[in-house]
Amino acid sequence: MAEEKLKKPEEMFEVSLTPGTGDWMEPSAGFRKGTYCYGAPLKHQKYLDLPNQREWQPSNEDWKLPPDWKETILEGMERLIKRHRSFRLFLDICVRCGACADKCHFFIGSGDPKNMPVLRAELLRSVYRRYFTPEGRLFGKYAGARDLTEDVLKEWFYYFFQCTECRRCSVYCPYGIDTCEITMMGRELLNLVGCNIQWVVEPASNCFRTGNHLGVPPHAFQETLGFALDELKDLTGIAIEAPINRKGAEILFVAPSADYFANPHWFTFLGYLMLFHEIGLDYTWSTYASEGGNFGLFHSMELAKRLNAKIYAEAKRLKVKWVLGGECGHMWRTLHQYMDTFNGPADFLEEPRSPVTGTRFENAQSTKMVHITEFTADLLYHNKLRLDKSRNDQWKITFHDSCNPARGMGLLEEPRYIIRQTCNHFYEMPENTIRERTFCCGSGAGLGADENIEMRLRGGLPRANAVKYVKERHGVNMLACICAIDKAALPPLLEYWVPDVGVCGVHELLGNALVMEGERERTTNLRGEPLAAGDGEGDVR
Amino acid sequence: MYLLYSLILIVIIILVGYIGAGILGWYTLFSIIAPYFALGVFIVGFIYRIVLWARSPVPFHIPTVCGQQHSLPWIRSDTTESPHTAWGVVSRMALEVLLFRSLFRNDRAEFRQPQRLLYGGNRWLWLGAMVFHWSLLVILLRHLRFFVEPVPGCITFLQYIDGFFQWPLPSFYVTDILIVAALLYLFCRRLFNPQVRHISLLSDYFALLLIGGIAVTGILMRHFYKVDLMEVKRFFLGILSFNPVVPEGIGTIFYIHLFLVSVLLAYFPFSKLMHLGGVFLSPTRNLMNNSRMVRHVNPWDYPVKVHTYEEYEDEFRAAMKEVGLPVEKNE
Ligand code: SF4
Ligand code: SF4
Ligand code: SF4
């Protein structure tokens, strides 16, 4: 991205939401630098046995498609229509009312009409009409039907990789038409002829081999964990242990791998470790299942299932009773809505029960996996932790609902409860931009690549704008969230649109506030920043 | 362009009705064959589409959750927008189908300087859609008086209420006025809202114009070209008892109205109007948010190639042993 100068925020902000008079049926795909992601490298295509393996870039004229690509796509489409009611139904019943049009952050941020969810879906729907409905076969263009051509395929690629599968459009559609679902199907089809992006395929291939997206081998995982424990020893004076691959533990803990490798995820990671130590949790990390995230979900259902299989397999091998999961967005979409179907039934596990409070998580009784904010909120509610809220006083906090936990699970109050218990200053963003109506960070669904920076900044504009609002109104300087992609994507986004607002995880806030048995007096927070003045004693709960 | 084409189509349909029945006098064709045919297509087509949808599998459990989940007992869950019981789903669907809950959320994104992005409430679409659909329903129910003998009390009552306000003129039905107004609104929105105009297809204009044509001919028939209602009723009773008689002495306007309705019925199963049935089957709305509570089964599930722990350990065993990580095989 260094070679291309980015526009200034004032220029980027000049967006018109009024589409021109052109006909959208003319295929168009810009592949302008900064608005698309690179193609998947051959090595990783090979490792995952993907179809039509070759070196390839979307900006190339020749995509090296197989000679029978068209038949492949149409056969694939027929198969998907037969397999997914959502697909058939959503292709059939859209009335083009336009209610979803300006709900997509990519449309708002770019003004490109093909980023209106309804048009994104029409890109595929028009081909469906042409080959699968009588009116489309008969009347062609006049029935809204288009031939499948290479240009149409390129257009699909461009726009299906400008959708973060955030499902905001689905909330507003009177029939619940979920353009995320259409995008997923669109990507499945593109995969059939070998068109996917590096930022999806490479992490997926790494995860398949090493257990996590970053390709961290087991010994390096252990080393990283060691660094974290050293850091905590320096901070608190307590020697914490964190077991790895330990058989017979009660709980297997799975987090997104970014938590132990990236910033500011790291501090959330520290927060987990402190919490587990403080309550004396009988748990284990795993190196084989060292990733909760699942980039397979951004590729195909099949790949999602292949990657997801490790969690149950490892839970079985380690003979744990249930599984606890860290802070991550799409990871939880997979765990909540897909895992049990993919790789269940988990009849070798037990219904999750908090060893500290005795609470049964009956909402997870089949999948047997609990979200860490559910677990921690329950601890706090039962007063099992000692907290010093004032250690977060340097921050005025707002909370970004990550799309997947919000619209996939309905996990809205649990993280807020933890924030309120651990911080004194918490302010909500405007109502139209949080909870089920939350705006995506703009980098989900595998679009967080550096080369895609302009599109990411555009897609993140609505979120950033809401942050700006609370910053100006309440002086908010920290945004908390529970998604690993958010934690990676939001810092550059906010730096661009709303400088001086940081990003943190909810368990970082907990880690700061947590008063540990036998800890030495803290002078800094987890980030090593000095605590706000007048602190130390005081409102310990 | 599409607008023009669909206008031409509607005019052709009206002309066909006018010439065929009014001038050439092909009464049998327009009063008996066309309606029967249309009704047949409608019934068979509608059922076919619904069955096709209903029989397509729902492999994954994908509700779009719009409220707090049911989790810890002290957190109040949203039982409608994030239903975890069957009743919750029923209430969610009822709100959606009867009150257009999701459209009610609608807002509009707008840019303002300096660098402000605002969301204004925008319930006009909701209002227009509500008025249109509810008026349509009342009008359809009112029409039942032509199809059943004796007319049930509730229908007469509905008709009475609808005409009660005597607005804007005595004997006018409120719903007639409302539906025309709502159609006009929806039509103008399609035409003048640049986003909606950009996405509109021929069929979108066509459906609006067709229904508009039916409404207008209906109103004309009632107030300007009075038709013999007893004869109309006799005709429909004949149709329904499969004993059709060509009605006598009914104005051409009736034939045009009837023909438009026939076209609508025959067109219905092939069109987006099928959303009437589809909305009930939408998996993002009609599933409970209990994905982790009850296992959802994928009927076409198949085994996939995974990377097993054994393969993983084989690759990394030496390194794992070196740093003291436990391994399964110790050779
Ligand atoms: S809101 Fe739903 S029905 Fe309306 S245009 Fe969008 S997808 Fe189609
Ligand atoms: S799922 Fe999100 S990104 Fe995709 S079309 Fe809908 S609103 Fe836009
Ligand atoms: S990255 Fe976060 S905000 Fe973006 S789609 Fe995923 S969950 Fe949503």
Side-chain angles (χ1 to χ4, degrees), chain A residues 24 95-96 142, chain B residues 1-10 13 183-213 264 267 271-273:
Chain A
W24 64 262
V95 297
R96 283 165 300 284
Y142 298 102
Chain B
M1 232 12 185
Y2 288 150
L3 172 63
L4 190 69
Y5 291 144
S6 47
L7 252 176
I8 294 174
L9 266 178
I10 296 290
I13 293 169
L183 279 166
L184 260 178
Y185 165 73
L186 292 174
F187 188 73
C188 290
R189 184 173 171 275
R190 217 168 254 301
L191 210 51
F192 298 118
N193 178 319
Q195 289 165 7
V196 184
R197 188 192 167 107
H198 191 78
I199 59 177
S200 292
L201 297 174
L202 198 152
S203 59
D204 300 321
Y205 295 110
F206 180 70
L208 275 175
L209 287 173
L210 189 58
I211 298 174
L264 178 68
Y267 173 66
S271 71
K272 65 169 191 176
L273 302 177

Side-chain angles (χ1 to χ4, degrees), chain A residues 85 96-97 103 170-171 175-176 209 247 288 302 305 317 340 369 374 407 410 413-414 472, chain B residues 57 62 64-65 68-69 71 105-107 116 189 204 282 284-285 292 295 301-302 307 315 328:
Chain A
R85 182 196 299 166
R96 283 165 300 284
C97 68
K103 305 305 178 283
S170 169
V171 169
Y175 319 118
R209 175 169 162 254
K247 282 195 178 173
Y288 171 64
E302 182 171 316
K305 181 175 168 178
R317 184 181 78 86
D340 212 346
M369 185 144 181
E374 295 169 340
R407 287 186 278 265
E413 285 308 326
E414 292 85 347
E472 285 168 4
Chain B
I62 52 166
T64 305
V65 181
Q68 171 61 38
Q69 67 167 347
S71 59
R105 279 195 194 98
N106 199 20
D107 58 19
R116 286 257 174 287
R189 184 173 171 275
D204 300 321
S282 180
T284 56
R285 289 285 186 271
R292 274 183 293 155
R295 178 164 188 255
D301 196 23
Y302 55 90
H307 192 65
E315 181 174 352
E328 293 277 334

Side-chain angles (χ1 to χ4, degrees), chain A residues 100 103-107 115-118 120 162-170 178-181 183 407 440:
Chain A
C100 59
K103 305 305 178 283
C104 176
H105 48 287
F106 281 119
F107 176 59
N115 273 325
M116 296 193 266
V118 44
R120 198 187 307 286
Q162 277 184 21
C163 166
T164 44
E165 306 187 347
C166 77
R167 310 177 91 208
R168 188 168 194 264
C169 43
S170 169
D178 185 3
T179 304
C180 159
E181 201 65 11
T183 296
R407 287 186 278 265
C440 175

Side-chain angles (χ1 to χ4, degrees), chain A residues 252 254 291-292 294 297 304-305 307-313 315 322-325 330-346 348-349 364 366-370, chain B residues 60-61 291-292 295-296 301:
Chain A
L252 167 66
V254 179
E291 176 66 71
N294 191 327
L297 191 71
K305 181 175 168 178
L307 299 182
N308 175 261
K310 292 188 181 180
I311 296 182
Y312 278 154
W322 55 278
V323 190
L324 184 64
H330 74 282
M331 155 177 167
W332 271 98
R333 173 102 204 270
T334 321
L335 299 176
H336 185 69
Q337 295 197 328
Y338 293 97
M339 175 155 85
D340 212 346
T341 307
F342 278 158
N343 293 305
F348 50 91
L349 296 172
S366 172
T367 302
K368 282 136 184 145
M369 185 144 181
V370 174
Chain B
F60 301 109
H61 200 256
S291 313
R292 274 183 293 155
R295 178 164 188 255
H296 182 87
D301 196 23

Side-chain angles (χ1 to χ4, degrees), chain A residues 164 329 400 402-404 440-441 444 483 485-486:
Chain A
T164 44
H400 159 65
S402 307
C403 321
N404 285 304
C440 175
C441 61
C483 167
I485 298 180
D486 291 349

Side-chain angles (χ1 to χ4, degrees), chain A residues 35-68:
Chain A
T35 66
Y36 70 94
C37 302
Y38 296 151
L42 183 58
K43 172 179 154 205
H44 296 290
Q45 298 178 32
K46 279 202 175 130
Y47 194 79
L48 289 171
D49 286 325
L50 301 179
N52 193 24
Q53 298 171 2
R54 74 222 183 280
E55 278 299 349
W56 158 86
Q57 284 306 333
S59 52
N60 295 351
E61 189 58 37
D62 179 9
W63 278 24
K64 302 182 202 154
L65 298 175
D68 59 346

